[in-house]
Amino acid sequence: MRIIFFGTSVFSAKILEHLLTNRVQVVAVVTKTPQPHGRGRKLTPTPVKQYLDSTSATLPCFEVEKSSRPEFVDQLKEYAPDLGVVVAYGEIVRDNVLNLPKYGCINIHASLLPKYRGAAPIQRAIMDGVPEIGVTIMEMVRKMDAGDIIAQASFPLEPNAIFDEVEEKLWEVSFRPLMETIGELASKGRVEKEPQDEAQVTYAEKIQKEDLQLDFQLPAIVVHNRIRALSSKPAARVGVVCSGEEKLLKIFRTEVVSRPIEGVDAKVGEMVQVGGKELFIICQEEALKLLDVQLEGKKRMLIADLLRGIKQIQMRNSI
């Protein structure tokens, strides 16, 4: 089974690593072109390209802006692919690519389709506090995330799990159904599949700047879910006044705690320091205990370490 792999993200890199470790015949890899990152806006290869560079693999890797360019598709034809495997590639794959492999293309989508089609399925599912999360292996069609379902795998979503932890478990549960799908195509030339129920479709919109801001007038669990959904990047944040200076505080991990908090008399939306080691934000229902944060100009750290180095911190009205 000759496979062309399309992927860009860390999730993609982990799937590619699993395929290569298990000696699946990947004949070429397609990833996106390097993008500017960090303060210096240095062009940085994708995680997939970085993974390949870290190995001794001599696999051809194409860094392209658009995979559908006719001259590039002609180049891919030379590899005589049986199957395309697409994982978090970051581009709508066009018909001339979908129809290139003998058995078409399959995709790993990080949701239990037809729920959470779109760009940010993991983040949106965590924000919604769903009880179960998973992945779908699907046949790819031109319409976004609308192909027939080949296989799914799921697990309970822990109420305090942050994005990185959820993503890692998602790629791990992807391995078995992906390998079974490839094996079935190799042995039978077909797989069982089931159309998606269009009446059950929901969409996971791309994360926007406004998603990063927190509203503490909402119940604590709603704010908590938003924080853990965005914890990897770009991270939810609040404006604070720290030792007289206005700064941004990124929040990566929190815990929902009951009110009232012993020794604390505060209004909704206020930030309260307790005992020099704990920091709380009062919400409409219950409160949030901050655990893992990054103050503007400092490294990411546990809240007790942050409070040791500052005299006073409180919420400011707006970012």
Side-chain angles (χ1 to χ4, degrees):
M1 177 69 70
R2 296 173 59 83
I3 291 173
I4 294 181
F5 183 88
F6 296 79
T8 294
S9 69
V10 172
F11 195 117
S12 310
K14 293 296 183 180
I15 299 297
L16 178 60
E17 179 182 7
H18 185 76
L19 292 176
L20 296 180
T21 300
N22 286 273
R23 301 185 183 280
V24 174
Q25 190 182 9
V26 179
V27 295
V29 172
V30 183
T31 192
K32 304 298 286 184
T33 54
Q35 297 297 313
H37 285 281
R39 291 183 180 179
R41 309 303 291 163
K42 181 181 177 181
L43 287 178
T44 305
T46 69
V48 164
K49 182 63 165 65
Q50 290 179 49
Y51 161 67
L52 286 175
D53 288 345
S54 72
T55 72
S56 57
T58 57
L59 196 57
C61 181
F62 300 98
E63 298 171 281
V64 298
E65 190 62 40
K66 287 190 177 181
S67 63
S68 59
R69 288 185 295 105
E71 59 272 25
F72 181 63
V73 175
D74 287 341
Q75 194 172 0
L76 292 182
K77 283 180 184 177
E78 297 176 7
Y79 292 93
D82 295 308
L83 181 67
V85 175
V86 182
V87 186
Y89 176 53
E91 176 188 341
I92 295 176
V93 181
R94 305 297 177 182
D95 287 343
N96 58 349
V97 177
L98 294 177
N99 297 330
L100 175 61
K102 180 179 179 180
Y103 300 117
C105 294
I106 61 173
N107 172 246
I108 301 178
H109 185 72
S111 84
L112 295 172
L113 291 171
K115 303 294 186 183
Y116 298 105
R117 291 181 183 177
I122 306 174
Q123 292 96 326
R124 297 298 180 185
I126 297 173
M127 282 184 193
D128 289 346
V130 297
E132 183 182 46
I133 197 165
V135 296
T136 301
I137 313 293
M138 70 171 179
E139 179 183 50
M140 290 192 72
V141 295
R142 178 68 180 272
K143 187 177 178 181
M144 183 181 66
D145 301 330
D148 289 351
I149 294 170
I150 298 169
Q152 292 184 316
S154 64
F155 56 90
L157 180 59
E158 295 295 329
N160 290 319
I162 61 175
F163 177 89
D164 285 347
E165 296 164 347
V166 176
E167 184 184 47
E168 180 175 354
K169 198 162 184 180
L170 284 168
W171 76 56
E172 288 174 349
V173 301
S174 301
F175 295 157
R176 181 174 178 179
L178 175 62
M179 296 298 286
E180 288 176 348
T181 299
I182 292 172
E184 203 166 339
L185 282 170
S187 62
K188 300 179 182 178
R190 60 182 177 80
V191 289
E192 296 294 326
K193 50 192 180 182
E194 179 182 342
Q196 294 187 39
D197 182 354
E198 292 293 325
Q200 299 298 316
V201 169
T202 63
Y203 289 95
E205 301 296 336
K206 183 178 179 180
I207 299 299
Q208 304 293 337
K209 186 176 180 180
E210 52 267 29
D211 290 314
L212 311 183
Q213 300 183 31
L214 302 174
D215 181 1
F216 298 104
Q217 301 297 319
L218 296 172
I221 187 62
V222 174
V223 185
H224 171 70
N225 287 341
R226 182 172 294 263
I227 288 168
R228 63 197 187 99
L230 301 172
S231 61
S232 177
K233 59 181 180 180
R237 67 282 309 270
V238 295
V240 297
V241 178
C242 181
S243 300
E245 291 186 69
E246 292 190 352
K247 292 182 178 290
L248 287 180
L249 181 72
K250 292 183 178 181
I251 307 175
F252 300 101
R253 195 186 292 267
T254 55
E255 178 186 341
V256 177
V257 296
S258 299
R259 291 169 52 193
I261 301 166
E262 187 176 352
V264 171
D265 181 18
K267 299 177 181 178
V268 171
E270 289 186 345
M271 181 175 280
V272 181
Q273 189 172 337
V274 176
K277 293 183 179 180
E278 295 181 316
L279 192 63
F280 298 88
I281 298 176
I282 309 303
C283 297
Q284 188 62 44
E285 296 175 11
E286 304 179 301
L288 285 178
K289 181 179 181 180
L290 277 59
L291 302 176
D292 184 3
V293 299
Q294 183 177 12
L295 184 65
E296 186 178 351
K298 293 183 178 292
K299 295 180 180 180
R300 179 173 171 173
M301 63 184 72
L302 298 178
I303 195 67
D305 295 328
L306 175 69
L307 294 179
R308 261 197 302 270
I310 60 176
K311 294 180 180 179
Q312 186 182 32
I313 184 169
Q314 62 186 47
M315 200 82 74
R316 81 173 193 250
N317 291 331
S318 61
I319 296 178

